[in-house]
Amino acid sequence: MLQPFGPNFWLCDGPAVTGAAGFHFPTRMIVIELPSEGGLWVWSPVGVSEDVRAEIDALGPVRHLVAPNNLHHTFLPDWVATYPEARVHAAPGLSASTTGATIHERLGNAPDPAWEGVLDQLVVPGNRITTEVVFHHRPSSTAIVTDWVQHIPRGWYRGWRGMIARLDLMSAPEPSVPRKFRLATTDRNAARAAMRRILAWEADRLVFAHGPPVDEGGTEVLRSAFRWLVR
């Protein structure tokens, strides 16, 4: 169900998805209503249930579907089938054959004219696992990160998966960048430059796909999570 998080800004937690080695991950979608009848901007779509569709339709037309990295596209075909008029915006590294959906726009450092002035965005390059696009919702002063920061609750995984999650920092005591993403960062200069620009947004709040949202001190949480990269 949609949960208000700011002006014209909603969160929606979806069902868990299973990744490599049987690790299952909580999922989260963001819905933002763009001004001037710009319709809805849907980030990292989760599964389309009848209840979610009814709530979405009550808000307005879905105009933009956003796949913010190459790991968050599983449900795009369902959303495209449900909202065929929506345009698909995909992070670098994604293709139509990967997503199962036509890609209309490639996400870069410049916001699309449809959300310019409402959302800032930056590509974080230089990682072997994923190239992620980070957003900043100006009206609510919220930074939107996908996988670069995670805070999966202790107890979500059990047995050896729980041990791996703790060692990897997926389930660290505070929001953290998983060790695998740190080790996969091959161009630290490029990633560092992007993160410095993201920190300069000075976002009050922070939302990421895998873990509870941060209601205050968002930039400080990001600064702490990326201390290994940006000092």
Side-chain angles (χ1 to χ4, degrees):
M1 306 298 284
L2 298 181
Q3 301 294 325
F5 191 71
N8 302 316
F9 188 123
W10 295 266
L11 304 179
C12 180
D13 291 347
V17 297
T18 302
F23 280 88
H24 59 285
F25 292 88
T27 60
R28 171 167 297 126
M29 174 175 74
I30 291 173
V31 179
I32 291 174
E33 183 179 7
L34 300 176
S36 302
E37 299 184 0
L40 302 179
W41 183 90
V42 180
W43 172 93
S44 188
V46 298
V48 188
S49 68
E50 291 185 8
D51 289 341
V52 168
R53 180 175 180 178
E55 288 190 289
I56 291 285
D57 291 345
L59 292 177
V62 174
R63 297 271 169 78
H64 305 281
L65 299 171
V66 177
N69 68 21
N70 65 316
L71 304 173
H72 282 246
H73 57 80
T74 302
F75 299 106
L76 265 181
D78 294 338
W79 281 77
V80 169
T82 305
Y83 301 102
E85 300 302 316
R87 297 185 66 79
V88 174
H89 305 259
L94 279 172
S95 65
S97 60
T98 302
T99 62
T102 298
I103 295 172
H104 301 100
E105 304 290 344
R106 185 69 58 187
L107 294 167
N109 290 329
D112 189 274
W115 60 78
E116 188 174 10
V118 178
L119 287 152
D120 304 305
Q121 64 190 63
L122 275 172
V123 178
V124 182
N127 192 274
R128 290 195 306 270
I129 296 175
T130 189
T131 298
E132 183 163 303
V133 183
V134 177
F135 294 89
H136 173 232
H137 183 240
R138 291 187 184 182
S140 65
S141 189
T142 301
I144 302 170
V145 182
T146 313
D147 288 322
W148 268 98
V149 177
Q150 298 183 21
H151 194 202
I152 297 174
R154 291 289 180 95
W156 178 267
Y157 299 114
R158 298 183 181 276
W160 65 268
R161 291 188 181 89
M163 180 181 66
I164 293 297
R166 291 192 295 272
L167 291 174
D168 188 54
L169 301 180
M170 290 190 293
S171 296
E174 59 185 22
S176 301
V177 178
R179 293 188 192 277
K180 58 180 171 288
F181 285 101
R182 303 183 189 199
L183 293 173
T185 303
T186 55
D187 190 341
R188 292 202 170 198
N189 288 334
R192 184 178 297 114
M195 284 310 306
R196 283 177 173 158
R197 293 179 64 186
I198 289 168
L199 291 171
W201 289 337
E202 297 185 350
D204 294 331
R205 305 197 292 176
L206 172 64
V207 175
F208 39 93
H210 309 303
V214 176
D215 289 322
E216 58 183 15
T219 294
E220 291 311 309
V221 171
L222 280 176
R223 199 182 309 278
S224 176
F226 282 92
R227 192 167 288 126
W228 60 278
L229 179 66
V230 182
R231 297 185 182 274

